Amino acid sequence: MPKTERFGLTEEEQMLQDMVRRLAREKVAPGAEERDKVGEFPFDMLELMRENGLMGVDFPDEYDGMNAGMLSHCIVVEELAKVDASVALIPSCQELGCLPIILAGNHEQKDKHLRPLATGEKVAAFALTEARGGSDVASLRTRAVRKGDRYVLNGTKQFITNGGVADTIAVYAVTEPDAPTHKNASVFIVEKEFTGFSASRKESKLGIRCSDTRELVFEDVEIPVENRLGEEGDGFHIMMKTLDFSRPSVASQALGIAAGAFEYATEYAKERVTFGLPIIKHQAIAFKLADMAMRITAARQLLYKTCDLLDSRCAKDLSKVPAEVIRHSSMSKAYCSDVAMWTTIEAVQVLGGYGYITEYPVERMMRDAKITQIYEGTNEIQRLVIAGTL
Ligand code: COS
């Protein structure tokens, strides 16, 4: 399909964007403040995502996905995040939890597990991080020991998004402790019915408050060998490639938060009058809004370029990711989330006292923005990754 403009979207992408923008304004925005207050997972929003086919936008069509590409997925997440970052996390985390299966699963695994995840009938989670941290992946400790045609899994995972609501969880565990560091782990599909699995403590968070963040406990969980993704020892590689593909999704969530706060602050600045003028006419405020516009536009172009690289240069299998793509993935995640944090702080400032109270959405957006600088690799890790590719 021809692009409607250079550096723009195709007609299909624009139609998707219009559809999700309308849905977000009409159906998602009205409950955002209440969901933030209550802090419970919004099953009605999950249903809304399912009904509108937004759970598997970037999933292969042979397994019931839309096969519309990474850019389409990111457009969906951005539009939702403009009004509620927690709801944007529903399709975003579905993508993250499913990527290990998409990248490393065989036909039987995809046929069985991916189909209900692509439609949203089931919910996915991604379990990598442990109490000792999530940055140094090679030092993680959860252990799976092979016993005949099963593995026995023991360990605890921390800060797992969707932990209490997920049906299917991709879990990283050491399988060969004596093997070289990056070749000693594997990834398993854990199904919530497995005996010994439990979603334990629910975290109370600063932002993205209605997403369900849990500690997951695995006590002698027996996993059939057919639930191992790829070969034994492929785990580190599978998780790194998953993150290359999933970081743009966090970038789009961050971008949506920034764009939502910017739009709100701009409208406010046109209405609010001080010293006889709308405050957008005062340079102190005008310059803040101009800087927001510049940074958000730059962030969006970087993200679109990243999606284009991923869609055009990377097979959704375990083949090597080019350094340029790894770099762009990390650059878009770090840049969009830094822009989101900065923009939301400034948006609160533009609204003054009103920015600080919960009746206005920008304080929620500021709280939501913070996590995007932390999860799926802190922005310090992203800078290490970027530097490592130079
Ligand atoms: N994509 C693909 N391959 C990657 C990769 C990436 N982003 N990063 C590293 N690799 C590969 C390297 O190419 C290397 O491959 P070879 O063994 O074939 O040479 C191997 O993995 C080991 O790389 P490295 O020595 O750089 O690994 P480190 O243990 O030093 O760790 C970082 C690298 C820090 C980049 C990695 O652990 C990481 O990304 N950590 C953050 C994880 C994260 O995002 N956690 C958040 C929780 S998940 S929501």
Side-chain angles (χ1 to χ4, degrees), residues 80-352:
L80 294 170
K82 280 183 185 172
V83 300
D84 189 338
S86 300
V87 172
L89 195 52
I90 297 175
S92 183
C93 187
Q94 190 79 344
E95 170 98 358
L96 171 66
C98 292
L99 272 166
I101 306 176
I102 296 174
L103 297 172
N106 57 33
H107 169 68
E108 287 71 30
Q109 291 168 331
K110 289 180 181 169
D111 199 47
K112 178 175 172 197
H113 299 286
L114 214 47
R115 285 185 196 285
L117 292 163
T119 57
E121 186 193 320
K122 287 192 172 178
V123 172
F126 176 85
L128 180 68
T129 298
E130 298 178 5
R132 62 207 318 271
S135 296
D136 187 1
V137 174
S139 76
L140 297 178
R141 288 282 175 268
T142 291
R143 181 89 166 86
V145 179
R146 180 144 184 184
K147 298 220 163 119
D149 62 354
R150 330 220 115 219
Y151 285 87
V152 179
L153 180 67
N154 278 289
T156 304
K157 297 286 178 180
Q158 193 85 21
F159 306 140
I160 306 305
T161 305
N162 281 354
V165 295
D167 304 279
T168 308
I169 306 137
V171 180
Y172 178 89
V174 173
T175 37
E176 299 156 280
D178 299 330
T181 336
H182 300 101
K183 308 214 167 6
N184 66 358
S186 305
V187 180
F188 298 94
I189 303 172
V190 172
E191 300 165 50
K192 76 163 184 229
E193 302 78 21
F194 286 178
T195 308
F197 164 69
S198 59
S200 140
R201 195 185 63 243
K202 184 178 162 194
E203 307 293 353
S204 171
K205 311 188 294 290
L206 174 73
I208 53 163
R209 286 186 41 78
C210 73
S211 72
D212 188 276
T213 310
R214 300 265 182 168
E215 180 180 81
L216 301 185
V217 180
F218 306 91
E219 281 174 315
D220 291 330
V221 179
E222 289 196 16
I223 305 172
V225 169
E226 61 262 27
N227 279 31
R228 190 192 67 220
L229 292 168
E231 298 300 321
E232 209 171 80
D234 280 350
F236 187 86
H237 193 49
I238 294 172
M239 289 322 213
M240 287 303 115
K241 189 157 184 183
T242 292
L243 292 168
D244 293 331
F245 270 87
S246 69
R247 286 172 178 155
S249 185
V250 173
S252 59
Q253 184 195 27
L255 179 63
I257 298 170
F262 165 66
E263 282 170 22
Y264 200 93
T266 305
E267 287 313 308
Y268 181 88
K270 288 179 185 171
E271 299 284 322
R272 171 89 168 144
V273 174
T274 63
F275 305 102
L277 284 173
I279 60 173
I280 195 168
K281 298 284 184 194
H282 297 307
Q283 279 192 350
I285 300 300
F287 283 10
K288 284 189 200 301
L289 296 170
D291 277 332
M292 288 181 201
M294 277 193 280
R295 293 183 197 190
I296 290 168
T297 305
R300 189 175 288 114
Q301 286 302 322
L302 175 58
L303 174 64
Y304 282 15
K305 166 93 191 282
T306 304
C307 291
D308 204 35
L309 284 173
L310 276 164
D311 283 338
S312 62
R313 299 234 194 122
C314 285
K316 289 226 177 63
D317 57 26
L318 285 188
S319 55
K320 207 170 163 54
V321 183
E324 188 190 2
V325 181
I326 295 175
R327 178 164 64 248
H328 274 79
S329 175
S330 285
M331 289 198 302
S332 63
K333 193 278 192 190
Y335 190 68
C336 290
S337 57
D338 285 348
V339 168
M341 197 67 250
W342 178 82
T343 300
T344 52
I345 288 173
E346 290 296 71
V348 169
Q349 193 69 19
V350 170
L351 268 73

Side-chain angles (χ1 to χ4, degrees), residues 30-39:
E33 185 188 339
E34 184 63 15
R35 285 190 293 272
D36 177 63
K37 246 182 232 153
V38 174

Side-chain angles (χ1 to χ4, degrees), residues 341-370:
M341 197 67 250
W342 178 82
T343 300
T344 52
I345 288 173
E346 290 296 71
V348 169
Q349 193 69 19
V350 170
L351 268 73
Y354 293 107
Y356 200 66
I357 61 176
T358 56
E359 202 181 322
Y360 291 79
V362 288
E363 63 81 32
R364 168 172 52 83
M365 292 166 166
M366 183 180 79
R367 288 185 284 105
D368 287 347
K370 186 63 212 172

